[in-house]
Amino acid sequence: MGLVGRGFGFLISTSLFLAVSGVFKLYFAFLLYGIPPKWNLLVATFFVIFSVYGTNKLTDLKEDEINNPERVRYIRRLARTIRYGSILSFAAALILGILSGPEAVLVLVFPVITGFVYSVRILPGRRRLKDVTVVKNLIIAGTWAGGTALLPLAAGSVESLKVLLVYYFFFIKSLINTVLFDVRDVEGDRLSGVETIPVRFGLAKSRTLLLVLNSTLIPWLLMAARLGYFREYLSVLLFSILNGYAYILYFTRRTRPGKALDLWVDGEWIYTVALALLS
């Protein structure tokens, strides 16, 4: 593995790449709303994502020993740094959120609360919510969509219907994302007894589900266009939908796609924002 590959592996394993992509995701929401992006909310989002996912990777070492041994090596080596870094990152996110008011703080705290509930064994048989088929995916997608759609509202007012449309768009994109990563991790999840959608229903049915979910964004886009929303970015949104079909079909035919999944799917918002700024 070359220097670039090792560097990208480090960024993925430590959740730094995901945190950067999450900032671009929020930036795209600002663009869709027509609200000038606020730097403190963008930076706070970076810190929250790093905090939540860094902590989660520390608690998922057992499953990841099978699914992603390279990541486990990074996490074990940097465990203390990630642990304290996650705590400090959350504190920094709260301080930055305060600059925009209590609403921003509530939105920023919510992922941490759901991340805790999601990972703690509170169900009968000491099961975690993340071990329950579909529940895990809905929690992650709802949390991502909630933060992305609601955080910009701390910087400006938006029509309720537009907020609902933006929430739905990011919810579906995030839900598809979570299932695709379950496809990659299917071997380790099966051996660990975690019944994800691909483990329980198989690859073919998972592919069909994802294609159906992505297809709901077509009438969504038509409705948005009819209402006169997102006019400047309709072509970018269409690209995002077509891009969804492409990576669903590609990654549901390979059960271990490696870093390509992170780059293409998790990194989607980086190149989507670039297209939006050029449109």
Side-chain angles (χ1 to χ4, degrees), residues 97-238:
I98 290 171
L99 298 176
S100 292
E103 300 87 355
V105 174
L106 287 174
V107 176
L108 290 167
V109 168
F110 186 70
V112 178
I113 296 173
T114 56
F116 174 77
V117 174
Y118 164 83
S119 299
V120 171
R121 300 181 185 277
I122 58 176
L123 297 177
R126 296 186 62 77
R127 297 179 71 197
R128 301 167 298 179
L129 285 176
K130 68 183 297 181
D131 298 329
V132 181
T133 309
V134 182
V135 171
K136 159 195 171 179
N137 307 91
L138 293 176
I139 289 175
I140 296 175
T143 303
W144 269 105
T148 307
L150 299 180
L151 200 53
L153 303 184
S157 60
V158 182
E159 297 173 53
S160 297
L161 182 55
K162 183 179 286 189
V163 175
L164 288 174
L165 286 172
V166 170
Y167 179 91
Y168 184 79
F169 173 75
F170 285 114
F171 178 81
I172 292 298
K173 296 293 287 186
S174 300
L175 187 57
I176 291 170
N177 181 307
T178 66
V179 177
L180 285 175
F181 277 88
D182 285 341
V183 168
R184 183 174 73 177
D185 295 342
V186 67
E187 181 182 338
D189 289 336
R190 184 181 290 117
L191 292 174
S192 301
V194 179
E195 277 205 349
T196 61
I197 290 174
V199 169
R200 183 164 184 176
F201 299 107
L203 199 57
K205 290 182 179 179
S206 298
R207 180 188 307 120
T208 300
L209 171 65
L210 295 182
L211 291 173
V212 169
L213 288 172
N214 198 62
S215 295
T216 66
L217 292 177
I218 295 175
W220 174 91
L221 185 63
L222 294 174
M223 179 186 297
R226 185 174 180 82
L227 292 169
Y229 293 155
F230 322 130
R231 286 179 179 173
E232 190 176 351
Y233 304 110
L234 289 177
S235 61
V236 179
L237 290 166
L238 177 60

Side-chain angles (χ1 to χ4, degrees), residues 252-266:
T252 54
R253 281 172 169 74
R254 301 180 58 192
T255 56
R256 297 189 66 80
K259 296 183 184 65
L261 181 61
D262 300 271
L263 183 61
W264 190 352
V265 180
D266 267 351

